[in-house]
Amino acid sequence: MLIVFIIITISKQISVNSTNVCQVSRCPALQISVSMRRILVHVCKDRASPQRASFVQSVTGQFSDGGDDEVEVNCSLEKNQFILYRGDQNQRVPLKRPAFCPIKHLSVTEAAAIPLDVQQRGIDVGVAILLQSANQRVLLTRRAKELRIFPNVWVPPGGHVEPDETLLDAGLRELKEETGLKLDPVAASPKILGLWESVFPPMLSRGLPHRHHIVVYMMLHSSLTHLQIQDSVRPSPAEVSACLWADRHLVRAVVSAVDGEDAEVRVDDLPDTVSVCQVSEDGGLSDVSLPLEVFITRAPSSGPDLERVSTGTKFALELWLKNLEMSDP
């Protein structure tokens, strides 16, 4: 039986730049900078020694027998190693990539055209938090337009995993950094909904990849309603430009707008506008209305990106809906 493990470990990179003076060495042609330690994906097959996954290697493809875009895996994080494997079927979670995943469709020529420093990055790891209120709404945030990766796109709060953190620690830290919310980790009842293979830009037609992540979508619960929680929201304007508490009706419409497909979107009896909280430069909040169209916009296949809900977020919200339906009496 084929056994596949994916292990995420820490990498420290040192780069040399010849344009500045390094005061330590007093060499006029040397500048040394040390990047932050990063958690990277490693792949292990048939119990062999783990090998760092190449930037141009699809993680989902490592578990797929026939090129499927969705598989089920087990996962754990121990001693800075996030391990994906096939074990107990009752504890598996979905791992998915979009059908248009750039890494999946990358040709040999295109892979060779990716700059060497990008190819050597490996595959990073992040955690995104789906915070569910007591009245069954989920928090989404719009990424600041100044961000380099997926600017002006709606996603759950989240970010990278730091060394020696648990997945829950990382999610709670990112939640607090981006929204100001601090949750009790025990009362939050954490649950991993699924894993998403994210690449930026998200389509080859929009340029060669320069970021590659595995995103862990984790659901947390609050005993407060969304209005009670909102009183404590203090977004970071450097990262968040707006926030929204989406109910299941809006979420159904969002997930029906499948990226890369032309199927009809289910808007049912939703109003034409959606109320959101906009974040000012000083962090203040104000209520504004956005067209419903923003939240059911599909990812464009070419040209500049649009304000929309990210493809990975749609995947996570679909899992959230299924979990909600399972918990309904």
Side-chain angles (χ1 to χ4, degrees), residues 10 46 56 65 102 153-154 159 168 177 185 215 232 235 239 247 249:
I10 300 171
D46 299 324
V56 296
D65 296 327
V153 170
W154 287 87
L168 177 58
E177 289 176 2
V215 181
S232 300
E239 299 186 76
D247 62 18
H249 305 293

Side-chain angles (χ1 to χ4, degrees), residues 37-251:
R37 292 191 300 166
R38 296 162 47 233
I39 304 230
L40 301 177
V41 177
H42 285 62
V43 176
C44 177
K45 293 184 177 180
D46 299 324
R47 301 188 184 278
S49 299
Q51 301 294 319
R52 195 178 88 170
S54 166
F55 181 89
V56 296
Q57 178 181 22
S58 172
V59 178
T60 307
Q62 299 301 301
F63 292 93
S64 176
D65 296 327
D68 295 335
D69 294 320
E70 183 170 354
V71 296
E72 289 193 337
V73 296
N74 303 85
C75 65
S76 65
L77 177 62
E78 302 175 10
K79 298 179 180 179
N80 290 319
Q81 294 184 337
F82 181 63
I83 307 171
L84 301 184
Y85 60 97
R86 280 189 168 138
D88 188 345
Q89 293 187 2
N90 296 323
Q91 297 181 15
R92 291 181 182 177
V93 295
L95 165 64
K96 188 174 182 179
R97 65 186 176 189
F100 49 81
C101 175
I103 299 298
K104 173 185 176 182
H105 298 286
L106 204 62
S107 69
V108 174
T109 301
E110 289 166 331
I114 295 175
L116 185 59
D117 63 323
V118 174
Q119 293 188 41
Q120 293 176 341
R121 281 188 58 86
I123 302 174
D124 295 283
V125 183
V127 177
I129 296 297
L130 280 87
L131 176 58
Q132 178 181 310
S133 67
N135 57 334
Q136 298 184 335
R137 295 199 179 204
V138 64
L139 177 63
L140 297 178
T141 60
R142 185 177 63 193
R143 288 172 58 81
K145 62 182 180 181
E146 296 81 12
L147 295 175
R148 291 179 298 174
I149 307 298
F150 294 106
N152 214 40
V153 170
W154 287 87
V155 298
H160 68 283
V161 181
E162 293 184 349
D164 302 322
E165 282 187 319
T166 66
L167 294 175
L168 177 58
D169 289 341
L172 291 173
R173 173 182 51 76
E174 289 287 348
L175 179 67
K176 186 175 186 300
E177 289 176 2
E178 294 186 10
T179 70
L181 294 174
K182 186 175 182 179
L183 299 187
D184 178 351
V186 177
S189 303
K191 177 181 180 180
I192 294 177
L193 294 179
L195 312 174
W196 179 256
E197 185 165 10
S198 173
V199 179
F200 186 83
M203 298 181 184
L204 271 178
S205 58
R206 298 175 60 193
L208 292 174
H210 58 262
R211 290 294 185 271
H212 191 177
H213 289 77
I214 292 296
V215 181
V216 180
Y217 285 104
M218 180 179 292
M219 181 173 65
L220 301 181
H221 293 84
S222 172
S223 60
L224 303 177
T225 67
H226 75 284
L227 292 177
Q228 291 172 319
I229 302 172
Q230 186 61 32
D231 288 338
S232 300
V233 172
R234 302 291 184 271
S236 166
E239 299 186 76
V240 176
S241 63
C243 58
L244 158 72
W245 289 95
D247 62 18
R248 68 172 73 193
H249 305 293
L250 176 58
V251 169

